[in-house]
Amino acid sequence: MKGVILAGGTGTRLYPLTKVVNKHLLPVGKIPMICHGIEKFKKAGIEEILIVIGKQSAGLYIDLIGSGKEWGVSVTFKVQEEAGGIAQALFLAEPFVTPGEKFVVLLGDNLFEDHLTTFVQAFKQQAVGARVLLKKVHDPKRYGVPVLEKDNIIMIEEKPEEPKSDYCVTGIYMYDSTVFETIRTIKPSARGELEITDVNNVYASKGQLTYDILDGWWTDAGTFQSLYQASGRL
């Protein structure tokens, strides 16, 4: 199985740290943020990795990661020319994924404790559809919140005023190559971006969106507070 790390974005919430360097290159613990995702993939046996980056700091990514040999993986890069949403960034991975092949997607600023191996194995056994990882949080209003029905998610509500569960959808997703056809069917949101929640809700509407729940800590290290907290754990 292959892995995709989405590491575009402007990192406006971390300005001025991100004035001259992409946020995924900021240090978290002893290594840059982006390298934690690479390590998670490596430990799960995923050694072919595509990293989608923005134009900012593209040269630094290559200087840092190169071919991935130092990390025991094979890395290629794809540049997202403009900010168009997570689903748009994911769409750039289409040439990287073989038709019929399953793959795992990480948002580069998602840092977490759990190993991916068990979740990846479960998705390998899943006949059709997509799979997402959830985490119980105290403030679900800030996130995409799943509406759960047994082993499936029947829909995801984006930043609801009255959340129907205490869980959020983390930036850890699993798809097969049909996801690119799904992305072709969605329309830009009010902010002009292709939203990953809309993609996942297509699967949910078909009863094909399953989930697992993270046991350990998780954060999206996109704010000063979460970046500081993550650094203290890694």
Side-chain angles (χ1 to χ4, degrees), residues 88-132:
Q88 185 207 56
L90 175 57
F91 190 70
L92 296 175
E94 185 175 25
F96 176 72
V97 178
T98 304
E101 188 174 45
K102 292 181 175 180
F103 65 106
V104 185
V105 181
L106 300 181
L107 301 189
D109 61 359
N110 271 232
L111 304 172
F112 52 95
E113 183 177 6
D114 296 60
H115 292 294
L116 291 172
T117 306
T118 300
F119 309 129
V120 169
Q121 291 300 324
F123 185 54
K124 284 182 178 179
Q125 301 303 315
Q126 184 174 322
V128 295
R131 196 175 196 96
V132 298

Side-chain angles (χ1 to χ4, degrees), residues 26-37 39-40 43 108-114 217-219 221 226-234:
L26 295 175
V28 181
K30 296 181 179 179
I31 58 178
M33 188 186 301
I34 190 70
C35 297
H36 290 286
E39 286 189 336
K40 289 293 184 183
K43 289 177 181 178
D109 61 359
N110 271 232
L111 304 172
F112 52 95
E113 183 177 6
D114 296 60
W217 63 265
W218 164 86
T219 186
S226 59
L227 184 65
Y228 174 77
Q229 291 172 342
S231 294
R233 289 167 165 163
L234 293 167

Side-chain angles (χ1 to χ4, degrees), residues 60-73:
L60 294 178
Y61 275 104
I62 295 172
D63 287 342
L64 173 67
I65 300 169
S67 67
K69 181 179 179 180
E70 179 183 348
W71 305 90
V73 297

Side-chain angles (χ1 to χ4, degrees), residues 25-205:
L25 295 173
L26 295 175
V28 181
K30 296 181 179 179
I31 58 178
M33 188 186 301
I34 190 70
C35 297
H36 290 286
I38 294 173
E39 286 189 336
K40 289 293 184 183
F41 276 155
K42 172 64 176 175
K43 289 177 181 178
I46 297 172
E47 298 181 355
E48 288 185 71
I49 301 171
L50 173 70
I51 304 178
V52 179
I53 59 176
K55 289 185 288 187
Q56 182 195 33
S57 305
L60 294 178
Y61 275 104
I62 295 172
D63 287 342
L64 173 67
I65 300 169
S67 67
K69 181 179 179 180
E70 179 183 348
W71 305 90
V73 297
S74 174
V75 173
T76 55
F77 295 94
K78 190 84 172 184
V79 175
Q80 184 181 19
E81 293 288 344
E82 57 188 8
I86 293 171
Q88 185 207 56
L90 175 57
F91 190 70
L92 296 175
E94 185 175 25
F96 176 72
V97 178
T98 304
E101 188 174 45
K102 292 181 175 180
F103 65 106
V104 185
V105 181
L106 300 181
L107 301 189
D109 61 359
N110 271 232
L111 304 172
F112 52 95
E113 183 177 6
D114 296 60
H115 292 294
L116 291 172
T117 306
T118 300
F119 309 129
V120 169
Q121 291 300 324
F123 185 54
K124 284 182 178 179
Q125 301 303 315
Q126 184 174 322
V128 295
R131 196 175 196 96
V132 298
L133 300 190
L134 310 179
K135 179 62 182 173
K136 193 169 187 177
V137 292
H138 69 276
D139 52 351
K141 290 182 179 181
R142 293 181 51 224
Y143 303 98
V145 177
V147 181
L148 306 176
E149 186 176 90
K150 296 183 179 179
D151 294 332
N152 286 349
I153 297 172
I154 59 174
M155 73 172 299
I156 299 169
E157 298 179 326
E158 194 64 32
K159 298 179 181 178
E161 282 299 315
E162 297 183 7
K164 292 184 174 63
S165 74
D166 293 329
Y167 294 95
C168 77
V169 178
T170 70
I172 308 169
Y173 317 103
M174 303 180 198
Y175 303 103
D176 64 23
S177 60
T178 63
V179 71
F180 304 113
E181 291 303 319
T182 301
I183 294 173
R184 286 186 174 93
T185 69
I186 66 171
K187 305 297 182 184
S189 64
R191 60 179 183 171
E193 297 188 353
L194 297 181
E195 307 290 352
I196 199 67
T197 295
D198 292 339
V199 174
N200 290 333
N201 273 334
V202 171
Y203 288 101
S205 69

